[in-house]
Amino acid sequence: MRTALTDLVGVRHPIVQTGMGWVSGPRLVTATARAGALGVLASATMSPDQLRSAVREVRSRTGEPFGVNLRADAGDARERVRIIVEEGVRVASFALAPSRELIAELKDAGVIVIPSVGAVRHAEKVAAWGADAVVVQGGEGGGHTGSVATTVLLPQVVDAVDLPVIAAGGFHDGRGLIAALAFGAAGVAMGTRFLLTAESTVPDAVKARYLAATARDITLTTAVDGLPHRMLRTEMVAALEGAGRLRSLAQAVRRASGFRRLSGLSWPRMVREGLAMRHGKDLSWSQTLLAANTPMLLRASMVDGRTDLGIMAAGQVAALIDDLPTVAALVDRIMTEATRTRTTLPPP
Ligand SMILES: Cc1cc2nc3c(=O)[nH]c(=O)nc-3n(C[C@H](O)[C@H](O)[C@H](O)COP(=O)(O)O)c2cc1C
């Protein structure tokens, strides 16, 4: 299926596997690239050296294009951009709108720039700065997310910018892909669906929690790090939501000391990181501590399988997913269903 997205990045199918911290590593990205979709490495949870070796690992296993996701506000964003350029990565994807300078640097080197946006004005801004396409994530999407549903946000962005728009938030099948194309998108980007595949390295116990989730088990909360964050509703999340300021500070300190040992971060560094994430937001001290720990909270579940300690970012679409196909089988199924759906639509 040829769209503005497949033409832009040179993939066979208009499907993106997004960068998810601790989840989108070389194994998942390689499987996605081999299946003909665009795989994106998550770099926010890697050191620059780890990023370089992850890129090389994917490159050694496939000649197909792939991307790297990074945080535009990371202190070492420039160093990561240099790695992307030096290693000849095809696509740079950004969790937050990148600066005009970062976009220019990447584009001068021939890298395709695809920021993720959650609001029309952000899409307009990055379009004016030269982005090649945008991923627009509606509120049903997993991880940090907005409050406007994909069905409302997507057409707004399609109408506002003259760029390929990739729809994210709530997609998992071929019907969704056709619906996104009908809205004017050039493809779909999926996180939760790719987390729940055979090649995803997420521990089985964690995958089982996602598979068992109903729509009511997925919540949007600011209790973890002060930003709206969509995740599975676990006992820990419920406790954070229910706790008063003092109790949640005590809990945060207790958890933070555990994670400090795990992460090797010093207390001053943790507080500094928390304060940086706090920028301008009205976060309590416990939220500030937890904000610094968010990557470690995600790691506890996605790497260590601690469903009790970790957070499990999840889109609402987890409620519709009940299997763990290989990435190749998933992409094949989506494309087969998309073709069938298109041919069975009533004629205009
Ligand atoms: C476990 C998990 C971790 C995520 N981590 C990141 C991240 O590090 N950077 C980012 O830009 N988006 C991150 N996201 C958001 C996804 O990239 C994607 O935009 C979102 O999952 C799309 O919605 P869906 O889950 O309905 O497919 C994460 C999502 C999940 C589920």
Side-chain angles (χ1 to χ4, degrees):
M1 187 182 285
R2 203 172 154 191
T3 71
L5 170 64
T6 60
D7 285 351
L8 177 67
V9 294
V11 287
R12 275 180 286 135
H13 308 301
I15 297 175
V16 179
Q17 163 259 303
T18 61
M20 293 171 279
W22 304 114
V23 178
S24 305
R27 187 174 140 108
L28 184 59
V29 172
T30 302
T32 306
R34 285 184 178 158
L38 182 69
V40 178
L41 280 168
S43 92
T45 46
M46 295 176 186
S47 68
D49 284 347
Q50 287 168 334
L51 169 60
R52 197 183 285 276
S53 56
V55 167
R56 290 185 178 172
E57 193 177 332
V58 178
R59 169 80 8 97
S60 72
R61 294 202 209 153
T62 176
E64 300 297 329
F66 61 96
V68 167
N69 175 266
L70 60 159
R71 265 177 49 194
D73 61 342
D76 56 5
R78 288 208 100 86
E79 186 182 353
R80 287 165 192 270
V81 163
R82 209 171 331 117
I83 293 170
I84 289 172
V85 169
E86 284 168 6
E87 297 295 328
V89 174
R90 180 77 57 92
V91 173
S93 116
F94 284 93
L96 294 168
S99 67
R100 186 195 292 259
E101 292 72 32
L102 281 185
I103 295 181
E105 197 172 328
L106 285 159
K107 291 204 62 176
D108 284 351
V111 181
I112 296 164
V113 180
I114 310 185
S116 291
V117 297
V120 179
R121 65 179 195 287
H122 295 153
E124 288 170 337
K125 190 171 76 179
V126 295
W129 289 350
D132 296 290
V134 287
V135 169
V136 49
Q137 178 170 329
E140 53 270 69
H144 288 121
T145 199
S147 54
V148 182
T150 303
T151 44
V152 174
L153 187 59
L154 175 60
Q156 275 183 318
V157 173
V158 166
D159 288 345
V161 296
D162 195 15
L163 292 177
V165 175
I166 303 155
F171 295 98
H172 74 115
D173 64 2
R175 292 174 299 178
L177 171 57
I178 294 299
L181 297 179
F183 273 114
V188 290
M190 302 183 292
T192 306
R193 179 61 273 193
F194 278 101
L195 184 153
L196 294 168
T197 56
E199 287 90 345
S200 144
T201 52
V202 169
D204 289 345
V206 174
K207 286 179 179 172
R209 289 292 290 262
Y210 280 81
L211 293 179
T214 67
R216 295 172 72 88
D217 300 321
I218 299 148
T219 186
L220 183 67
T221 183
T222 56
V224 170
D225 59 12
L227 306 171
H229 207 156
R230 191 173 289 291
M231 61 186 66
L232 296 188
R233 189 196 305 276
T234 58
E235 274 172 24
M236 184 185 91
V237 173
L240 281 171
E241 283 182 329
R245 265 176 123 81
L246 209 64
R247 238 183 86 211
S248 57
L249 178 59
Q251 280 180 357
V253 171
R254 219 175 36 245
R255 283 206 186 88
S257 42
F259 285 116
R260 199 183 62 81
R261 277 196 299 277
L262 249 176
S263 63
L265 291 183
S266 66
W267 279 108
R269 167 106 192 268
M270 265 177 43
V271 172
R272 262 204 316 279
E273 294 213 358
L275 285 172
M277 289 181 78
R278 204 177 158 162
H279 48 232
K281 290 171 207 82
D282 181 25
L283 299 191
S284 65
W285 276 105
S286 50
Q287 284 173 331
T288 302
L289 264 184
L290 284 167
N293 272 313
T294 299
M296 297 311 294
L297 288 168
L298 200 56
R299 189 198 137 105
S301 47
M302 299 303 153
V303 180
D304 303 331
R306 294 292 303 264
T307 51
D308 55 336
L309 264 185
I311 54 170
M312 288 170 276
Q316 287 182 328
V317 74
L320 301 176
I321 298 173
D322 57 11
D323 61 355
L324 298 169
T326 63
V327 169
L330 173 67
V331 171
D332 188 52
R333 184 166 87 193
I334 292 173
M335 295 315 299
T336 304
E337 191 187 32
T339 308
R340 196 177 55 234
T341 303
R342 194 159 58 167
T343 53
T344 54
L345 284 174

